[in-house]
PDB file of all heavy atoms in Angstrom:
ATOM      1  N   ALA A 212      -3.280 -10.944 -10.433  1.00 94.00           N
ATOM      2  CA  ALA A 212      -2.684 -10.194  -9.384  1.00 94.00           C
ATOM      3  C   ALA A 212      -2.773  -8.716  -9.707  1.00 94.00           C
ATOM      4  O   ALA A 212      -2.584  -8.268 -10.871  1.00 94.00           O
ATOM      5  CB  ALA A 212      -1.241 -10.548  -9.209  1.00 94.00           C
ATOM      6  N   TRP A 213      -3.134  -7.860  -8.715  1.00 95.00           N
ATOM      7  CA  TRP A 213      -3.273  -6.420  -8.899  1.00 95.00           C
ATOM      8  C   TRP A 213      -1.945  -5.721  -9.334  1.00 95.00           C
ATOM      9  O   TRP A 213      -1.987  -4.803 -10.062  1.00 95.00           O
ATOM     10  CB  TRP A 213      -3.751  -5.746  -7.619  1.00 95.00           C
ATOM     11  CG  TRP A 213      -5.122  -6.236  -7.215  1.00 95.00           C
ATOM     12  CD1 TRP A 213      -5.407  -7.108  -6.280  1.00 95.00           C
ATOM     13  CD2 TRP A 213      -6.329  -5.753  -7.717  1.00 95.00           C
ATOM     14  NE1 TRP A 213      -6.783  -7.363  -6.151  1.00 95.00           N
ATOM     15  CE2 TRP A 213      -7.332  -6.458  -7.094  1.00 95.00           C
ATOM     16  CE3 TRP A 213      -6.683  -4.851  -8.687  1.00 95.00           C
ATOM     17  CZ2 TRP A 213      -8.728  -6.269  -7.337  1.00 95.00           C
ATOM     18  CZ3 TRP A 213      -8.021  -4.667  -8.988  1.00 95.00           C
ATOM     19  CH2 TRP A 213      -9.019  -5.291  -8.323  1.00 95.00           C
ATOM     20  N   SER A 214      -0.843  -6.417  -9.016  1.00 93.00           N
ATOM     21  CA  SER A 214       0.462  -5.788  -9.449  1.00 93.00           C
ATOM     22  C   SER A 214       0.903  -6.308 -10.867  1.00 93.00           C
ATOM     23  O   SER A 214       1.873  -5.788 -11.428  1.00 93.00           O
ATOM     24  CB  SER A 214       1.522  -6.179  -8.447  1.00 93.00           C
ATOM     25  OG  SER A 214       1.644  -7.649  -8.363  1.00 93.00           O
ATOM     26  N   SER A 215       0.091  -7.131 -11.432  1.00 94.00           N
ATOM     27  CA  SER A 215       0.400  -7.676 -12.718  1.00 94.00           C
ATOM     28  C   SER A 215      -0.331  -6.902 -13.863  1.00 94.00           C
ATOM     29  O   SER A 215      -1.417  -6.398 -13.672  1.00 94.00           O
ATOM     30  CB  SER A 215      -0.013  -9.156 -12.866  1.00 94.00           C
ATOM     31  OG  SER A 215       0.186  -9.647 -14.108  1.00 94.00           O
ATOM     32  N   GLN A 216       0.324  -6.797 -15.013  1.00 95.00           N
ATOM     33  CA  GLN A 216      -0.314  -6.193 -16.186  1.00 95.00           C
ATOM     34  C   GLN A 216      -0.608  -7.147 -17.285  1.00 95.00           C
ATOM     35  O   GLN A 216      -0.791  -6.815 -18.414  1.00 95.00           O
ATOM     36  CB  GLN A 216       0.621  -5.047 -16.729  1.00 95.00           C
ATOM     37  CG  GLN A 216       0.805  -3.915 -15.757  1.00 95.00           C
ATOM     38  CD  GLN A 216      -0.457  -3.142 -15.520  1.00 95.00           C
ATOM     39  OE1 GLN A 216      -1.241  -2.806 -16.468  1.00 95.00           O
ATOM     40  NE2 GLN A 216      -0.769  -2.786 -14.266  1.00 95.00           N
ATOM     41  N   THR A 217      -0.637  -8.503 -16.874  1.00 94.00           N
ATOM     42  CA  THR A 217      -0.862  -9.556 -17.830  1.00 94.00           C
ATOM     43  C   THR A 217      -1.967 -10.535 -17.252  1.00 94.00           C
ATOM     44  O   THR A 217      -1.854 -10.880 -16.120  1.00 94.00           O
ATOM     45  CB  THR A 217       0.483 -10.358 -18.039  1.00 94.00           C
ATOM     46  OG1 THR A 217       1.472  -9.433 -18.502  1.00 94.00           O
ATOM     47  CG2 THR A 217       0.274 -11.425 -19.092  1.00 94.00           C
ATOM     48  N   PRO A 218      -2.912 -10.887 -18.077  1.00 96.00           N
ATOM     49  CA  PRO A 218      -3.195 -10.512 -19.469  1.00 96.00           C
ATOM     50  C   PRO A 218      -3.774  -9.103 -19.656  1.00 96.00           C
ATOM     51  O   PRO A 218      -3.923  -8.726 -20.809  1.00 96.00           O
ATOM     52  CB  PRO A 218      -4.069 -11.621 -19.954  1.00 96.00           C
ATOM     53  CG  PRO A 218      -4.843 -11.977 -18.792  1.00 96.00           C
ATOM     54  CD  PRO A 218      -3.940 -11.868 -17.595  1.00 96.00           C
ATOM     55  N   HIS A 219      -4.262  -8.477 -18.591  1.00 96.00           N
ATOM     56  CA  HIS A 219      -4.982  -7.219 -18.743  1.00 96.00           C
ATOM     57  C   HIS A 219      -4.136  -6.059 -18.128  1.00 96.00           C
ATOM     58  O   HIS A 219      -3.865  -6.041 -17.000  1.00 96.00           O
ATOM     59  CB  HIS A 219      -6.334  -7.305 -18.091  1.00 96.00           C
ATOM     60  CG  HIS A 219      -7.150  -8.451 -18.565  1.00 96.00           C
ATOM     61  ND1 HIS A 219      -7.687  -8.518 -19.811  1.00 96.00           N
ATOM     62  CD2 HIS A 219      -7.489  -9.637 -17.933  1.00 96.00           C
ATOM     63  CE1 HIS A 219      -8.382  -9.641 -19.940  1.00 96.00           C
ATOM     64  NE2 HIS A 219      -8.216 -10.295 -18.774  1.00 96.00           N
ATOM     65  N   ARG A 220      -3.892  -5.061 -18.976  1.00 95.00           N
ATOM     66  CA  ARG A 220      -3.219  -3.809 -18.531  1.00 95.00           C
ATOM     67  C   ARG A 220      -4.313  -2.995 -17.857  1.00 95.00           C
ATOM     68  O   ARG A 220      -5.427  -2.926 -18.271  1.00 95.00           O
ATOM     69  CB  ARG A 220      -2.596  -3.014 -19.677  1.00 95.00           C
ATOM     70  CG  ARG A 220      -1.456  -3.817 -20.270  1.00 95.00           C
ATOM     71  CD  ARG A 220      -0.621  -2.999 -21.242  1.00 95.00           C
ATOM     72  NE  ARG A 220      -0.087  -1.744 -20.744  1.00 95.00           N
ATOM     73  CZ  ARG A 220       0.976  -1.648 -19.838  1.00 95.00           C
ATOM     74  NH1 ARG A 220       1.537  -2.737 -19.421  1.00 95.00           N
ATOM     75  NH2 ARG A 220       1.344  -0.475 -19.407  1.00 95.00           N
ATOM     76  N   HIS A 221      -3.883  -2.301 -16.686  1.00 95.00           N
ATOM     77  CA  HIS A 221      -4.885  -1.524 -15.980  1.00 95.00           C
ATOM     78  C   HIS A 221      -4.161  -0.527 -15.009  1.00 95.00           C
ATOM     79  O   HIS A 221      -2.951  -0.544 -14.912  1.00 95.00           O
ATOM     80  CB  HIS A 221      -5.674  -2.500 -15.093  1.00 95.00           C
ATOM     81  CG  HIS A 221      -4.896  -3.231 -14.111  1.00 95.00           C
ATOM     82  ND1 HIS A 221      -4.665  -2.803 -12.822  1.00 95.00           N
ATOM     83  CD2 HIS A 221      -4.259  -4.477 -14.202  1.00 95.00           C
ATOM     84  CE1 HIS A 221      -3.965  -3.675 -12.162  1.00 95.00           C
ATOM     85  NE2 HIS A 221      -3.675  -4.656 -12.965  1.00 95.00           N
ATOM     86  N   THR A 222      -4.945   0.378 -14.471  1.00 94.00           N
ATOM     87  CA  THR A 222      -4.416   1.369 -13.544  1.00 94.00           C
ATOM     88  C   THR A 222      -4.762   1.116 -12.086  1.00 94.00           C
ATOM     89  O   THR A 222      -4.408   1.872 -11.244  1.00 94.00           O
ATOM     90  CB  THR A 222      -4.904   2.800 -13.922  1.00 94.00           C
ATOM     91  OG1 THR A 222      -6.326   2.759 -13.853  1.00 94.00           O
ATOM     92  CG2 THR A 222      -4.448   3.134 -15.315  1.00 94.00           C
ATOM     93  N   ARG A 223      -5.506   0.040 -11.854  1.00 93.00           N
ATOM     94  CA  ARG A 223      -5.885  -0.273 -10.416  1.00 93.00           C
ATOM     95  C   ARG A 223      -4.750  -1.049  -9.802  1.00 93.00           C
ATOM     96  O   ARG A 223      -4.841  -2.242  -9.630  1.00 93.00           O
ATOM     97  CB  ARG A 223      -7.175  -1.081 -10.380  1.00 93.00           C
ATOM     98  CG  ARG A 223      -8.498  -0.527 -10.755  1.00 93.00           C
ATOM     99  CD  ARG A 223      -8.538   0.907 -11.157  1.00 93.00           C
ATOM    100  NE  ARG A 223      -9.879   1.357 -11.500  1.00 93.00           N
ATOM    101  CZ  ARG A 223     -10.254   1.774 -12.616  1.00 93.00           C
ATOM    102  NH1 ARG A 223      -9.395   1.788 -13.660  1.00 93.00           N
ATOM    103  NH2 ARG A 223     -11.411   2.251 -12.883  1.00 93.00           N
ATOM    104  N   THR A 224      -3.687  -0.319  -9.436  1.00 92.00           N
ATOM    105  CA  THR A 224      -2.473  -0.975  -8.869  1.00 92.00           C
ATOM    106  C   THR A 224      -2.391  -0.572  -7.427  1.00 92.00           C
ATOM    107  O   THR A 224      -2.934   0.484  -6.970  1.00 92.00           O
ATOM    108  CB  THR A 224      -1.182  -0.525  -9.657  1.00 92.00           C
ATOM    109  OG1 THR A 224      -1.087   0.920  -9.499  1.00 92.00           O
ATOM    110  CG2 THR A 224      -1.335  -0.881 -11.114  1.00 92.00           C
ATOM    111  N   PRO A 225      -1.542  -1.367  -6.639  1.00 90.00           N
ATOM    112  CA  PRO A 225      -1.317  -0.948  -5.248  1.00 90.00           C
ATOM    113  C   PRO A 225      -0.720   0.443  -5.109  1.00 90.00           C
ATOM    114  O   PRO A 225      -1.059   1.183  -4.181  1.00 90.00           O
ATOM    115  CB  PRO A 225      -0.290  -2.036  -4.775  1.00 90.00           C
ATOM    116  CG  PRO A 225      -0.609  -3.218  -5.644  1.00 90.00           C
ATOM    117  CD  PRO A 225      -0.953  -2.689  -6.955  1.00 90.00           C
ATOM    118  N   GLY A 226       0.151   0.837  -6.076  1.00 89.00           N
ATOM    119  CA  GLY A 226       0.704   2.170  -6.091  1.00 89.00           C
ATOM    120  C   GLY A 226      -0.350   3.296  -6.228  1.00 89.00           C
ATOM    121  O   GLY A 226      -0.247   4.367  -5.659  1.00 89.00           O
ATOM    122  N   ASN A 227      -1.306   3.060  -7.132  1.00 90.00           N
ATOM    123  CA  ASN A 227      -2.344   4.058  -7.420  1.00 90.00           C
ATOM    124  C   ASN A 227      -3.500   4.067  -6.385  1.00 90.00           C
ATOM    125  O   ASN A 227      -4.206   5.028  -6.242  1.00 90.00           O
ATOM    126  CB  ASN A 227      -2.941   3.840  -8.789  1.00 90.00           C
ATOM    127  CG  ASN A 227      -1.927   4.154  -9.920  1.00 90.00           C
ATOM    128  OD1 ASN A 227      -0.998   4.918  -9.664  1.00 90.00           O
ATOM    129  ND2 ASN A 227      -2.145   3.650 -11.073  1.00 90.00           N
ATOM    130  N   TYR A 228      -3.676   2.968  -5.705  1.00 88.00           N
ATOM    131  CA  TYR A 228      -4.752   2.808  -4.682  1.00 88.00           C
ATOM    132  C   TYR A 228      -4.191   2.161  -3.405  1.00 88.00           C
ATOM    133  O   TYR A 228      -4.531   1.072  -3.041  1.00 88.00           O
ATOM    134  CB  TYR A 228      -5.833   1.898  -5.229  1.00 88.00           C
ATOM    135  CG  TYR A 228      -6.598   2.543  -6.433  1.00 88.00           C
ATOM    136  CD1 TYR A 228      -6.136   2.425  -7.708  1.00 88.00           C
ATOM    137  CD2 TYR A 228      -7.806   3.171  -6.217  1.00 88.00           C
ATOM    138  CE1 TYR A 228      -6.741   2.991  -8.802  1.00 88.00           C
ATOM    139  CE2 TYR A 228      -8.461   3.754  -7.314  1.00 88.00           C
ATOM    140  CZ  TYR A 228      -7.919   3.678  -8.624  1.00 88.00           C
ATOM    141  OH  TYR A 228      -8.623   4.218  -9.631  1.00 88.00           O
ATOM    142  N   PRO A 229      -3.250   2.920  -2.714  1.00 86.00           N
ATOM    143  CA  PRO A 229      -2.566   2.350  -1.651  1.00 86.00           C
ATOM    144  C   PRO A 229      -3.343   1.907  -0.421  1.00 86.00           C
ATOM    145  O   PRO A 229      -2.894   1.010   0.314  1.00 86.00           O
ATOM    146  CB  PRO A 229      -1.507   3.394  -1.253  1.00 86.00           C
ATOM    147  CG  PRO A 229      -2.145   4.663  -1.729  1.00 86.00           C
ATOM    148  CD  PRO A 229      -2.893   4.300  -2.967  1.00 86.00           C
ATOM    149  N   SER A 230      -4.545   2.468  -0.237  1.00 81.00           N
ATOM    150  CA  SER A 230      -5.329   2.072   0.946  1.00 81.00           C
ATOM    151  C   SER A 230      -6.384   1.065   0.614  1.00 81.00           C
ATOM    152  O   SER A 230      -7.292   0.877   1.421  1.00 81.00           O
ATOM    153  CB  SER A 230      -5.886   3.316   1.639  1.00 81.00           C
ATOM    154  OG  SER A 230      -6.816   3.998   0.792  1.00 81.00           O
ATOM    155  N   SER A 231      -6.382   0.469  -0.531  1.00 86.00           N
ATOM    156  CA  SER A 231      -7.469  -0.405  -0.985  1.00 86.00           C
ATOM    157  C   SER A 231      -7.193  -1.863  -0.831  1.00 86.00           C
ATOM    158  O   SER A 231      -7.951  -2.731  -1.186  1.00 86.00           O
ATOM    159  CB  SER A 231      -7.793  -0.156  -2.450  1.00 86.00           C
ATOM    160  OG  SER A 231      -8.326   1.179  -2.619  1.00 86.00           O
ATOM    161  N   GLY A 232      -6.034  -2.203  -0.139  1.00 87.00           N
ATOM    162  CA  GLY A 232      -5.732  -3.590   0.105  1.00 87.00           C
ATOM    163  C   GLY A 232      -5.450  -4.464  -1.091  1.00 87.00           C
ATOM    164  O   GLY A 232      -5.868  -5.621  -1.126  1.00 87.00           O
ATOM    165  N   LEU A 233      -4.904  -3.917  -2.131  1.00 91.00           N
ATOM    166  CA  LEU A 233      -4.767  -4.656  -3.411  1.00 91.00           C
ATOM    167  C   LEU A 233      -3.550  -5.583  -3.251  1.00 91.00           C
ATOM    168  O   LEU A 233      -2.503  -5.465  -3.930  1.00 91.00           O
ATOM    169  CB  LEU A 233      -4.464  -3.616  -4.525  1.00 91.00           C
ATOM    170  CG  LEU A 233      -5.624  -2.689  -4.815  1.00 91.00           C
ATOM    171  CD1 LEU A 233      -5.368  -1.779  -6.002  1.00 91.00           C
ATOM    172  CD2 LEU A 233      -6.970  -3.388  -4.991  1.00 91.00           C
ATOM    173  N   ASP A 234      -3.728  -6.617  -2.458  1.00 85.00           N
ATOM    174  CA  ASP A 234      -2.737  -7.640  -2.128  1.00 85.00           C
ATOM    175  C   ASP A 234      -2.975  -8.821  -3.041  1.00 85.00           C
ATOM    176  O   ASP A 234      -4.049  -9.190  -3.371  1.00 85.00           O
ATOM    177  CB  ASP A 234      -2.843  -8.127  -0.716  1.00 85.00           C
ATOM    178  CG  ASP A 234      -2.762  -7.002   0.282  1.00 85.00           C
ATOM    179  OD1 ASP A 234      -1.837  -6.161   0.120  1.00 85.00           O
ATOM    180  OD2 ASP A 234      -3.567  -7.002   1.256  1.00 85.00           O
ATOM    181  N   ALA A 235      -1.852  -9.393  -3.511  1.00 90.00           N
ATOM    182  CA  ALA A 235      -1.875 -10.670  -4.261  1.00 90.00           C
ATOM    183  C   ALA A 235      -2.967 -10.530  -5.422  1.00 90.00           C
ATOM    184  O   ALA A 235      -2.927  -9.529  -6.122  1.00 90.00           O
ATOM    185  CB  ALA A 235      -2.160 -11.790  -3.411  1.00 90.00           C
ATOM    186  N   ASN A 236      -3.835 -11.479  -5.508  1.00 92.00           N
ATOM    187  CA  ASN A 236      -4.910 -11.468  -6.480  1.00 92.00           C
ATOM    188  C   ASN A 236      -6.303 -11.524  -5.799  1.00 92.00           C
ATOM    189  O   ASN A 236      -7.205 -12.063  -6.407  1.00 92.00           O
ATOM    190  CB  ASN A 236      -4.707 -12.569  -7.513  1.00 92.00           C
ATOM    191  CG  ASN A 236      -4.873 -13.944  -6.937  1.00 92.00           C
ATOM    192  OD1 ASN A 236      -4.661 -14.156  -5.709  1.00 92.00           O
ATOM    193  ND2 ASN A 236      -5.177 -14.960  -7.736  1.00 92.00           N
TER     194      ASN A 236
END
Side-chain angles (χ1 to χ4, degrees):
W213 294 99
S214 60
S215 174
Q216 295 293 317
T217 305
H219 306 290
R220 294 191 55 75
H221 61 91
T222 59
R223 288 4 178 240
T224 63
N227 290 339
Y228 294 83
S230 63
S231 295
L233 301 181
D234 305 316
N236 65 335

